[in-house]
Amino acid sequence: MEASTTTFFVGEFTHSLDSKGRVTIPSKWRISGGENTYLALPNPGRYITVYPPKMVARLEEKVAEANLSDVRAQALLMELFSKAHSFGCDKQGRINLNEKLLDHAGIKGKAVLVGNFSAFAIWSVDRYSGRPAENERNIFDAMRELGL
């Protein structure tokens, strides 16, 4: 039986941006071998959502299914993906986010990387620590809805 090479994104990590604006992805979140292209999108919550290669492939399928005659859907897709950024990790696990995304998220100096199981978010330290606290009941309700 083959060992599983599934990568999932859990935990919370704070990393400094280097002088070139790169941030390091935690080693256990890095995709080894094969496709290494991540996709970063601005999230309306004023942070960055990063999709790993497996999720990028699924997103590509969904976008390909979009109705080409739906002018509104095509305009929305163009608006969304014009703000996106694709990248791979370097050998040290660093990624380089573009200035538009860093500005969108208000990231300067340090970033908080937060796992979302199948993807992860990158927040500014201030926005992450200042977000509204969820109470435990909401967390347990979400777990129940997921069947956990």
Side-chain angles (χ1 to χ4, degrees), residues 38-52:
Y38 294 79
L39 179 68
L41 294 169
N43 188 289
R46 306 301 291 169
Y47 58 90
I48 302 165
T49 301
V50 180
Y51 297 97

Side-chain angles (χ1 to χ4, degrees), residues 76-123:
L76 289 172
L77 287 173
M78 187 168 48
E79 180 70 20
L80 174 64
F81 290 111
S82 71
K83 294 173 175 31
H85 183 64
S86 64
F87 51 82
C89 289
D90 66 12
K91 290 180 181 179
Q92 288 76 38
R94 297 172 300 199
I95 59 171
N96 192 355
L97 298 168
N98 67 26
E99 204 60 40
K100 280 185 184 179
L101 287 172
L102 292 173
D103 288 346
H104 168 80
I107 297 172
K108 294 175 178 69
K110 287 188 176 189
V112 182
L113 289 78
V114 182
N116 184 12
F117 198 74
S118 60
F120 63 95
I122 304 177
W123 289 78

Side-chain angles (χ1 to χ4, degrees), residues 2-20:
E2 225 176 274
S4 174
T5 58
T6 302
T7 299
F8 51 90
F9 307 93
V10 295
E12 177 182 305
F13 305 86
T14 301
H15 290 270
S16 295
L17 274 66
D18 70 11
S19 62
K20 295 182 181 179

Side-chain angles (χ1 to χ4, degrees), residues 27-45:
S27 59
K28 61 184 175 180
W29 288 6
R30 297 178 201 155
I31 307 299
S32 59
E35 184 60 43
N36 183 23
T37 303
Y38 294 79
L39 179 68
L41 294 169
N43 188 289

